[in-house]
Amino acid sequence: MPAIAIIGGQWGDEGKGKIVDLLSEKVKVVVRFSGGNNAGHTVVNQFGEFQMHLIPSGIFHPDVICIIGNGVVIDAAALLGEIETLKQNRINASNLLISDRAHLVMPYHILLDGLEEEARGSGAIGTTRKGVGPAFADKTSRMGIRVCDLLDKESFRKRLGFVLEYKNSILTKLYGTAPLSLDELYQTYCEYGERLAPFVRETDVIVREALERGDQVLLEGAQGTMLDLDFGTYPYVTSALSGGVSLGLGMSPAKITEVAGVFKAYTTRVGGGPMPTELKDEYGEILRERGHEYGTTTGRPRRCGWFDAVITRYSADVNGFTSAAITKFDILDEFSIIKICTAYEIDGAVYTRPPANSALLERCQPVYEELPGWQCNTSGIRRFEELPPQAQAYVRRIEELIGCPACLVSVGPGRDQTIIIRPIP
Ligand code: GDP
Ligand code: IMO
Ligand code: MG
């Protein structure tokens, strides 16, 4: 049976959490395969409203196995806190499993994330300061500490001693801050290791066996394509691949039969970097207030603008999206005119793909087409044919521009506030 990937098509916060919670009803396994607790996935269901940072958004379905795959970097304290919050809300996390190969976000990563941001000055990326970038950098430079290390205390102490000596010399000599204590860190992480041990597995085996049994597997992307390390607006990106699905959990790419891109009906971005359709006027303000566009992880106001079909078409191309989930459609309900950016222009030159160079993208001026708004409340509508003609035309135009058909339109944060066009799975 197939695996279905849910991938952010813009700059993150497209509503992936809602879509994954909704689709989890029909699957047996949900896997996070990238990012860390820089992600903030909101789920609104009969249990309340939850902000998921590391735990897959399928956790509300008691029969669904939820896996944090090897491609995720895990802040152990944050994960234990998330498990505790769920428990307090009577959600059982006993169906959670963690890859023994996942790397850990350590306290020095969090310190260095902040210090590096300060050092960048006006070129700051605007990271979430959760230590995710430095943790991925250590993974690549072979300085990482992994979940499996916590389970062997003797070798863990040696490994931590070696890594911390190096990290402390950066903290003290380069940044002039206090070093971290090896004993304290060792004790704390041994305790975390004991608490996490019951969840730890060779998760790639579990995914493979599930697929062999014929179970549906849902792959929950984090961040968005334009934050992808390779395809995003470098260097204003996060440190992982937003589409690196099969490597992030140890599965054949051939198993993925559906790749659904999640797209907000407009555009938002949180943090620094180019965003050609950003509206710094009252329209941007209206989108922010109506859409409650404040970061799920950091609370920062999100930058808002009209739908950018240049980046979304590019994103559909690089991910091979087979369908599009269009979210936050209801936020556009009151506009009399709605704009879509169909190309960029710099000094008369037209671009239909975002240039790789962020400095050039920064100079891109959006070329807009205007569509009439529908000016009625769509949040109670459940069938596509019941949407006003202008709203249907907006969806059809987006499909055309992105180049893939819409599978659903989301008209509110709740599970049921969804217009299904083509069921997946
Ligand atoms: P994610 O990171 O992609 O999971 O998205 P976030 O959870 O960070 O941000 C999406 C926000 O929009 C959350 O507050 C959701 O509850 C909310 N949301 C999702 N879909 C809809 C929708 O269709 N309409 C409205 N009004 N809110 C939505
Ligand atoms: P979800 O999964 C939106 C952004 C940060 C910053 C850049 C680098 O909820 O869609 P990092 O802390 O990752 O080093 O920051 O990436 N960013 C996100 N923006 N949604 C996210 O995740 C994000 N994760 C990281 O704001 O600009
Ligand atoms: Mg988010």
Side-chain angles (χ1 to χ4, degrees), residues 26-74:
K26 296 190 191 160
V27 306
K28 290 282 196 328
V29 182
V30 180
V31 192
R32 268 281 307 269
F33 56 86
S34 67
N37 61 325
N38 48 353
H41 295 180
T42 311
V43 172
V44 180
N45 57 29
Q46 72 267 37
F47 305 107
E49 177 170 338
F50 299 86
Q51 273 75 42
M52 313 305 295
H53 298 288
L54 283 163
I55 298 179
S57 303
I59 198 77
F60 303 93
H61 299 268
D63 299 330
V64 171
I65 297 171
C66 285
I67 293 177
I68 302 179
N70 54 280
V72 177
V73 290
I74 300 177

Side-chain angles (χ1 to χ4, degrees), residues 167-411:
K167 295 294 166 186
N168 273 342
S169 73
I170 296 175
L171 286 172
T172 55
K173 293 182 189 148
L174 187 59
Y175 292 109
T177 59
L180 294 173
S181 150
L182 173 61
D183 283 340
E184 277 174 31
L185 213 55
Y186 176 68
Q187 288 305 332
T188 306
Y189 276 77
C190 283
E191 191 213 309
Y192 290 161
E194 282 166 20
R195 291 170 64 193
L196 290 176
F199 300 99
V200 179
R201 296 285 191 288
E202 292 176 311
T203 52
D204 59 307
V205 177
I206 293 168
V207 173
R208 220 163 22 249
E209 286 176 353
L211 289 165
E212 276 163 16
R213 269 197 310 275
D215 293 347
Q216 295 263 20
V217 176
L218 196 60
L219 313 169
E220 176 176 0
Q223 288 81 50
T225 305
M226 299 312 292
L227 289 170
D228 182 276
L229 190 56
D230 275 290
F231 289 103
T233 49
Y234 195 87
Y236 302 96
V237 292
T238 190
S239 317
L241 301 179
S242 64
V245 180
S246 45
L247 280 181
L249 59 103
M251 186 189 82
S252 161
K255 298 285 180 195
I256 303 167
T257 53
E258 175 98 37
V259 188
V262 187
F263 299 96
K264 240 174 231 188
Y266 48 98
T267 309
T268 65
R269 171 164 208 174
V270 59
M275 175 180 167
T277 65
E278 180 174 15
L279 294 168
K280 293 184 176 158
D281 58 10
E282 60 184 289
Y283 288 99
E285 199 57 43
I286 293 171
L287 285 170
R288 184 173 310 111
E289 292 315 313
R290 272 193 208 149
H292 306 290
E293 295 296 353
Y294 293 88
T296 309
T297 298
T298 59
R300 291 177 293 177
R302 293 178 185 145
R303 300 154 66 192
C304 297
W306 297 118
F307 189 84
D308 182 340
V310 179
I311 63 142
T312 49
R313 181 170 48 228
Y314 163 79
S315 153
D317 285 348
V318 300
N319 287 292
F321 290 144
T322 51
S323 59
I326 300 170
T327 62
K328 304 198 88 161
F329 198 74
D330 53 305
I331 305 305
L332 299 181
D333 280 354
E334 287 171 36
F335 290 100
S336 55
I337 294 285
I338 300 173
K339 295 187 187 182
I340 298 180
C341 166
T342 54
Y344 303 146
E345 216 176 80
I346 307 178
D347 303 330
V350 175
Y351 291 75
T352 53
R353 247 174 87 93
N357 184 336
S358 282
L360 201 56
L361 185 58
E362 197 76 68
R363 291 177 52 216
C364 283
Q365 294 302 313
V367 177
Y368 286 119
E369 70 179 36
E370 292 188 357
L371 277 82
W374 42 95
Q375 296 189 284
C376 78
N377 184 347
T378 58
S379 65
I381 296 177
R382 299 291 174 267
R383 282 163 45 83
F384 187 76
E385 302 72 41
E386 286 162 16
L387 283 172
Q390 300 91 328
Q392 292 190 25
Y394 187 72
V395 174
R396 294 302 179 213
R397 185 64 181 136
I398 284 181
E399 284 180 320
E400 198 170 57
L401 289 166
I402 303 176
C404 70
C407 56
L408 65 84
V409 177
S410 172
V411 289

